[in-house]
Each structure stands twice: as structure tokens, then as C-alpha cells.
Amino acid sequence: MDGEAVGSEAVSEDSGPGRRHRVHGMLKLYYGLNEEGKAEEQPESLDPCDINGPHFDPELFLNKLRRECSLAELMDQETCMVKQIRSLDSDMQTLVYENYNKFISATDTIRKMKNDFKKMEDEMDCLSANMAAITEFSARISGTLQDQHAQITKLSGVHTLLRKLQFLFELPARLNKCLELQAYAQAVRSHRRARCVLQQYSHLPSFKGIQDDCHAIMDKLAQELRQKFRDGGSSAKDLSECVELLLQLDEPAEELCDKFLSHAQSRLESDLQGLEAEIRPYPTIPSPTSNTDILEFIDRGCNEFVSSLCLVITSYQELFINHAQKGELLNAFVDDLAARYFSLVERRIQEEKGVADNSLLVRALDRFHRRLQAVTKLLPGSAVPNQGTEIVIRAATERVKQYLSALQSFYMDSLTDVRQALATPRLSVASRDAPNSLPELLSSLSASILNQIKSVLASVHLFTAKDITFSNKPYFKGEFCSQGVRESLVVSFIKFVCQSSRQFCESAGDKGGSTPPALLLLLSRLCLDYETSTISYILTLTDEQFLVQHHSPVTPVTTLCAEAREAAQKLLNHYVKVQGLIISQMLRKSVETRDWVNTIEPRNVRAVMKRVVEDTTSIDVQVGLLYEEGVRKAHSSDSSKRTFSVYSSSRQQARYAASYTPSAPMDTNLLSNIHKLFSERIDIFSSVEFNKVSVMTGIIKISLKTFLECVRLRTFGRYGLQQIQVDCHYLQMYLWRFVSDENLVHFMLDEIVGSSAHRCLDPAPMEQSVIEVICERG
């Protein structure tokens, strides 16, 4: 290669010490050594055997190697040094080749720069010569025109003065022309330009005449402006221009202020009359013709009345900015007209009774609120925006009340539908999946109410949409969400459900007297479901959807749940009472309509007892559709065949009656009463638990207690007592299955038979085996 040839020539130019010196110098540059032959960062080495040191002595190095190394080591050392020498030669050749190319490139660049700078020097010399010639030529022209420039300046001043004088002499004609064309603003501007000059030179006859002519013309112009202002037929903008011109003509500001507001009021009142014409005179009576919707009404009010009012405020402030009574007059003027406008807006809002769609009302209120904010910027101290905000809040609150009323009506209508389903066709209690079964009706009622609540919340949520200006205001959103939606709507509806349900528990003769028992049972389960889950779900949904912040006091969930549980308890207690009284009525009639003294010997169970068992079974199935089974005490193996202790005591009393003294019956009654003292007290009308066993126990307690009290008022013969024995044993065979403790049924039936025996003229009880045969046959 050429680089290698050049490197070879550079190496072979000299030989001996000179060549070694050059190579050694290049290696110093390659290894970063200084002129002394040592690294700049390392200390100088004085060892003559250090091959890289500046004091290296080859002879000493060779002698040392010969003394210390073997022949093999010497040969290895030689081989290593040969490799290093070859490597250094190769690196040196590469270095020389690279520097050679760089030197050639630098030489070409320098040569080119010399040529370029030569041309640039020639051009700069030429430019300097041209600039000198231009400067000399300009100086000669200035010297030549020196005298003419002064003369031109003088003539220009004279020309300007003549134009001003010409303007003054032509001013009366110019003003008359403007007056003819009704260019009043241009006439006033022209007169104001010349007024000072005419006043300054009014002592000169010619200027005095011009001034008098101008005054006469301007008086005529002012008279026309006053007439135009009195007519008031122009727009608000024209009236403002008219007032501004009169003020420039030095008319009294106080008089113009009153007139301006008077004319503005007449125009704004016409806008209000147009709005009032769109409102029905009697909002409660629907109009046969369709009125404009609320959004169109608000748009018209904002575009006409509010825009005109803002223009009046702006014009008044610009015209009478220095007037002392500006603020008081303007505020009173705005407040009076705004109050009338707000009255019309509220009347129109009150016509929005339907709750089907909220979007128009919300958009109308948003536009109304947004346009009133312009008054805040124009009149910072005005109460008009706050009054408009109160209208928006009242409208939203009223809409919430309407939705609450709609929810209440929907709930009552749903209850009416449930009552109709319970009445016709007859409620099927055999299956949970029947179309009109209690679980199906409960599920349908609960789902429809919940869906209606969600629909109402979705409609009300439009008031808090992000694109609604007033929704994010702290004076609206916090109070509206917590007190308006949560408390006044959701909480109030939940309380209404509980209160209206409790009203079905009123005594007979009132509303609750005709309430179907199945409805009482269904409502009790509905209130219980509300207490366990629905209330918490509804309130959580409301809080999440409306981001309710509980800054103000709100009704806690626990309070509502307690109220719902109280309503459920009251309804279930009333259901037990109603069902117990229905069965009691059958038992009472069966006791009161029979001659128990002269009755025949019993051969079978009375039909009324079979009806009691059938109705009790039906009630058990009905309650089981909505409530769980509950806990029962352990039953004995012969619960259906248990005998009463009173039977044996009655038999013993008959067997040993002949030996008793007259006081024996009294002693027997005494023993019976003492036995009752140590028996467990039975609370007939106690509150029941939310399960089937507790409900059935309450109903059976009421029924048997009525049976007992009716027996205590009758007198029995032998066969009458035996019939009571048969009836009670038949009831014992079936009723023990429905109660929580079979001993309760046994004890109360024992009381009935015992009371019959105490009131029997000839107490001769029937044998237990005979009773069992009759009951099994019956």
C-alpha cells in the first residue's frame, strides 16, 4: 500500500542513532510520555535496567539478563521483545499514515482559505471606495438644498394654518349639512375640535361671527336630540348615543340620568309584558293550546330582557360614570325590574308539574343562572344574581318534592295492585313459583319500587351534571345532594313506606280493619327486607351517585333500619292478631250457639274443629312462603296422643264425689289454682319473632285463649263435657306440630277441659280409649 511505502521510506531515510531517536520520540508520543521520556502522572525512574525509563542502559540490561536468566528464559525474552518491536513498528506505520492524510487535508484547506481571503479583501476594498463616493455625493446634495428646505418648511406651516382657517370658515356649513343628514355625532365632533380656537379668538369680529353661527346650529341640534330622546322610539343603543351627545353638549347630567332610566324602564317593561303573555293566567287549569316550553321561555327572557338590562347597565355606567348618585339609582332600578322578572320566571317554573323528563327544566335553569352571572360582572354589589340562584335552588327543591310525591303515589298504586292480586284470582299458596304467590308478589313489589327509585335518582342526577354551571357551586351542590336528594327524597320515601305500612295495623273499623291478612304478612316481610339490606343499598347508591358529603346532619342508616324493623314487627304482630281473631271468631260462635247442658252423647269431632285445623294449616303454609321455619323444642314421641292430667283428676273427682263433704269441690278448685301458680305464665299477645314457628304459636295462643274464655262463660252437662274432651283431643293431635313448644298447647287444652269440668253439672269424663277412637275416626 501507499501508506506502508511512505512509512517504509520514512523509516529508511536514516540509520543508526538518528533513526532510533526518531522512532523513540514517536513511541513517546504514542504512550503519552513527555520530553524527558516519562509518563506525566508517574515519578521518574532512575533504574538503568528499566526498559521504559529515561536512564535505560542496554549493556547493563543484557548483562543482568545473562546473569539471572537461563538459556530458555533468554530465548523467551528475545521472542517477546521481537514481538513488541514488530508491534511498535506496525503502530508507528499506522500513526504516520493517518497523520500524513491529515496533513495533506490541512494543506489543501489552508491553500483554499488563502484564495478565498484574497477575493474577500478585493471586494472589501471595492465596497469601501463606493461608500466614500456615496458619502461625498450626499454631502454635495445636502449643501445644494439647504436653503430650499427651510423655505419648504415655512410654506408647509402656512398651508396647515390656511387649512385650519378654511375649516373654521366652512364649519357652519358643515354643521348644517350634518344636521340635515342627522349625522349628529360627526357634528358634535367637528364643533368640539373648533370650540377652543373660536373661544380663544372670539375678540376678532370674523371669528366671533363664526362662533355665533355655530352656537345657533348646535342649539338646534341639541333641541333635536332632546326631542328624539323624549320620543323613546329608538333602540337602547341609539338612546345611549343620544345621551352621550347631549352630555358632550354640556346638558345637565342629573336630568339626563332620570330620563335615560325612564326610557329604559319603558322598553324593559314591554319585554316583561311579552313574557307574561306566555304564562297561563290559571296554572292549575291545563290550557287546551300548547304553550312554549320552559327552555324557550327562559331563552326569550335571557335574549330580550336580561340582554337589554345588561346593555342599560353598561350604557349607564359609561355615560354617568362620574355622577354622584349613579350607584344608588342604578341598583334600585335593576332590583325593581329584576324582581318582576323573577316573579314571572317562578310562575313559569311552577307550571312544570310533570316529572317524566327533567332535561328541559335543567337546561333552562342552567341558562337562566349563566346569563345572570353577567350582572355580577357589571354590578358587583347587586343582589340580583343571588336572587336568581335562590330561584334555581327552589326550583330544584320543588322538583325533588314532586318526585317524592310521584314515588309515594307509585308505592300506593303498587299496593293496590297487590291487593287486587290477593283478592282475585285467589292467592295460590301451594307453590312459590305460582304467578300470584306471595314470594312472587313480594319480589315484584320490591323490584318495581327499587327500579322506580333508581329511575328517579337518574332524573334528579341531571341537576348535578358536569356541564351544568350551578351544579358545581358550593351553595348548591352540597345542600342539594345531602338535604335535597338524600334526606328530602330517599329518606323521606323510606319513612313513608314504613309509616304507610304501619297504618294498616290500625284497629278494626279503621283502614286496617279491611286489610287482607296476606297483605300484612307481605308488608312485614318487605319492611324486614328493607331493614336487612335494601335501605343500606339505596342510601349507598345515593351517596355514590351524588357524592354526598355529610357536612350537615343526615339521618343515619341505623335509624332507618330500626324504623323499618319496628314497622315489620308491628305488621307481623297485627297479622298474628288478625289471624288469631278470625279463628277465635269461629270458636266463639261454636261455643255460644250450642246448648252444652242438653247436648247428646258425642259420636264424632265437631266440624268447626276440623275447620280450625284446616285454617291453621293454610296459615302455616302461607307464613312459610315468606319466613323461615324457626327453632322448635324437641317433641315427644307420642305428642299426638298425649292425655291431659285434668282427665284423671276429673275421674277421681267423680269416683270419690259421694264421700266428699260439701267443701270438697272448693278444695279441688283450690288445688287447681295452686297448680296454676306454679305453672309457666303464658303471654298471649306478646311480640312474635320473624319466623314461622313463632307466628303460628302466637295465632294458636290467641285462638285457644278465646276458646278457654268462652268455655268459662258456659254451663255444661255430662255430654257437653265429653264433647269438649273430644274436641280438645282432636286439636291436640294436630296443633302441636305448629308451635315452638308442644307443652303450651297441652297446657292450654288442659285448662279448657279443666274449666269445662269445673262448670259441669254432672262431671262424668269419657274414657280416653273412646276419645281416641272417635278422633281417629273423625
Side-chain angles (χ1 to χ4, degrees), residues 634-647:
H635 296 151
S636 61
S637 59
D638 57 345
S639 298
S640 61
K641 297 182 179 181
R642 290 194 55 172
T643 59
F644 307 124
S645 60
V646 137
Y647 292 172

Side-chain angles (χ1 to χ4, degrees), residues 81 97 126 267 271 313 493 567 577 616 626 699 706 749 753:
M81 293 185 68
Y97 174 72
C126 180
R267 297 188 61 82
D271 294 338
I313 294 172
F493 177 69
K577 180 181 176 182
T616 304
L626 297 181
I699 294 173
T706 304
L749 292 174
V753 175

Side-chain angles (χ1 to χ4, degrees), residues 111-140:
R111 187 182 299 109
K112 186 177 181 181
M113 288 176 63
K114 286 183 179 180
N115 296 333
D116 292 341
F117 276 113
K118 181 64 177 174
K119 293 180 181 180
M120 188 177 297
E121 288 177 359
D122 296 340
E123 290 178 357
M124 291 298 293
D125 293 340
C126 180
L127 179 62
S128 177
N130 292 335
M131 291 295 294
I134 291 172
T135 301
E136 182 181 0
F137 187 68
S138 175
R140 290 196 324 215

Side-chain angles (χ1 to χ4, degrees), residues 675-734:
H675 175 69
K676 292 178 183 178
L677 290 176
F678 291 95
S679 300
E680 184 178 356
R681 181 178 178 274
I682 300 175
D683 190 357
I684 303 300
F685 293 100
S686 61
S687 294
V688 298
E689 299 177 1
F690 294 103
N691 57 69
K692 184 178 72 171
V693 172
S694 180
V695 171
M696 296 307 300
T697 302
I699 294 173
I700 292 174
K701 284 194 300 184
I702 294 174
S703 303
L704 296 182
K705 182 64 175 178
T706 304
F707 194 10
L708 175 61
E709 295 301 324
C710 292
V711 166
R712 287 176 177 174
L713 298 177
R714 310 298 294 180
T715 302
F716 296 88
R718 173 185 297 182
Y719 297 130
L721 172 60
Q722 294 177 0
Q723 184 66 55
I724 293 295
Q725 284 183 276
V726 172
D727 292 344
C728 288
H729 185 78
Y730 182 81
L731 293 178
Q732 170 65 28
M733 290 174 60
Y734 295 99

